[in-house]
Amino acid sequence: MALIKRFLSGYSDNFLLALTLWPAASFALTLPILAYLYHRDGRLKFASVVSTYLAVLYVLGLGCFTLYPLPDGMSGPGITYGVPWQLNPLAPIGDFAREGLSVLPQIAFNVVFFVPLGFIAGRLLRLRFVPSIVLGFAASLLIEAAQGTGLFGVYPYAYRTADVDDLIYNTSGAALGWLCAAALARVLPPGALAEEGEVTHAPGFIRRCVAFWLDTLIIGLLSLVVSGAVSIMLWNLPEGIARDLAGTPWMLVVMAFLFVLVEGVLPWMHAGSTPGGGFVRMSCETRERTGARRVVFYLARLVVLGAAYLFIPFAWFALALFYLVARRMPYDFL
């Protein structure tokens, strides 16, 4: 027990780093998973949301425990010399002979640490055994390669040991996790896949949020591309003209234009489905509206969602509270 406590105490900073990064990284990592689950099942249960967030924490922990701490200072491994690769799969035999049972926590940790990955692959993503094993092997190989190459060349030398035995242990852990998911499925089967492809006109709040987050991601990516193109254009203009135009908040102008396009024009043309809404099978038009009423509905929707952009996180809390009471969004009353 003392060996395990001493071993885990060295990783407390790694876990704290994972918790620190979780809120920011959850936006990038969780939403695609939620979108995939919606696309696959046509619905999203609360347990799936919780499981997805825990999976995000696990992925962050996986990276932090295996790659952190990074080299610092002016000397040491990764800065002035490297750590050699360990490519002998029989090395643990020699370790046992020299150190005895003290090597067991490290081996057990490498196996157990990848059990959740196999469980996630089998239960949440519903992958078969072989794809789950391949996923575990690929994830472990990526980590070992990062360790053995100084984070793919970020550092001049390797600062941690790339170990072929870790690859074996990690892949075995993923296999064990998948078997656990398969055993659980016999007692508590996962929900059946949704066969219907119908778009719902009565989406819940979580589905609306996922659709809006996907749209936000699209808007953000397109804004970066368009703003980058504008910057290149300004760079090639005469200095005087470029200086006059440089004062324009191009990023805000581009984002506003794309926001209206994605949340107003496209759903108007596609029966209420934004790009994100189409992916999670929902329409923002909860009932049929024509003429001026449809125009007012879309204008009100743009105002409400625009406010959500400007007053995060207060606006999301207010909208969630409103939906909890009214079971509709404000613009649905029009």
Side-chain angles (χ1 to χ4, degrees):
M1 193 67 179
L3 287 174
I4 296 175
K5 286 183 178 180
R6 186 168 65 251
F7 173 75
L8 291 179
S9 64
Y11 287 92
S12 57
D13 290 341
N14 304 56
F15 188 69
L16 289 176
L17 177 64
L19 289 176
T20 303
L21 294 176
W22 187 11
S26 63
F27 181 84
L29 299 178
T30 303
L31 295 180
I33 301 175
L34 294 179
Y36 166 73
L37 296 179
Y38 260 138
H39 187 66
R40 184 190 69 186
D41 299 336
R43 63 186 184 276
L44 189 64
K45 296 181 179 180
F46 177 75
S48 298
V49 178
V50 175
S51 299
T52 301
Y53 272 97
L54 291 177
V56 169
L57 178 60
Y58 165 74
V59 170
L60 289 172
L62 192 64
C64 291
F65 274 93
T66 54
L67 300 177
Y68 183 84
L70 301 175
D72 57 2
M74 300 300 294
S75 63
I79 302 297
T80 53
Y81 63 91
V83 180
W85 290 50
Q86 199 298 103
L87 300 178
N88 179 14
L90 300 180
I93 298 177
D95 295 338
F96 271 113
R98 290 190 307 271
E99 305 176 32
L101 296 180
S102 62
V103 302
L104 282 179
Q106 178 69 49
I107 295 175
F109 182 78
N110 278 292
V111 174
V112 172
F113 202 33
F114 268 66
V115 168
L117 182 63
F119 187 86
I120 291 168
R123 183 72 179 184
L124 187 64
L125 302 181
R126 297 180 195 164
L127 299 180
R128 296 184 180 275
F129 181 72
V130 172
S132 299
I133 296 300
V134 172
L135 177 63
F137 177 82
S140 180
L141 182 61
L142 181 66
I143 290 171
E144 297 303 318
Q147 292 177 336
T149 59
L151 206 57
F152 302 109
V154 173
Y155 299 96
Y157 302 100
Y159 63 91
R160 300 192 72 168
T161 303
D163 194 330
V164 67
D165 291 305
D166 289 349
L167 193 62
I168 297 172
Y169 301 145
N170 297 159
T171 305
S172 301
L176 181 60
W178 187 93
L179 292 175
C180 291
L184 178 62
R186 293 179 179 272
V187 180
L188 186 63
L193 297 179
E195 298 180 356
E196 71 280 0
E198 301 252 346
V199 173
T200 179
H201 290 267
F205 185 73
I206 294 179
R207 182 177 295 208
R208 292 174 187 258
C209 287
V210 172
F212 184 55
W213 283 329
L214 287 173
D215 292 334
T216 300
L217 185 60
I218 292 172
I219 292 170
L221 292 175
L222 290 178
S223 297
L224 290 175
V225 172
V226 175
S227 298
V230 171
S231 298
I232 294 174
M233 181 189 69
L234 291 177
W235 183 268
N236 294 318
L237 287 176
E239 183 177 350
I241 299 176
R243 185 174 57 253
D244 293 337
L245 294 176
T248 304
W250 288 110
M251 191 69 170
L252 294 178
V253 173
V254 170
M255 289 188 69
F257 171 79
L258 291 174
F259 171 75
V260 174
L261 175 66
V262 171
E263 298 296 342
V265 177
L266 292 181
W268 178 282
M269 298 170 59
H270 295 89
S273 290
T274 65
F279 193 81
V280 298
R281 304 175 187 174
M282 65 155 279
S283 168
C284 66
E285 296 187 19
T286 51
R287 65 173 185 270
E288 185 177 357
R289 298 175 179 86
T290 58
R293 174 170 289 185
R294 193 164 187 245
V295 173
V296 172
F297 167 80
Y298 273 100
L299 289 176
R301 184 172 182 274
L302 288 174
V303 170
V304 171
L305 296 183
Y309 269 113
L310 297 175
F311 300 106
I312 294 175
F314 172 77
W316 283 105
F317 175 77
L319 285 177
L321 184 62
F322 184 93
Y323 188 89
L324 182 65
V325 175
R327 308 305 299 174
R328 286 187 285 180
M329 298 294 280
Y331 44 80
D332 290 335
F333 287 92
L334 298 176

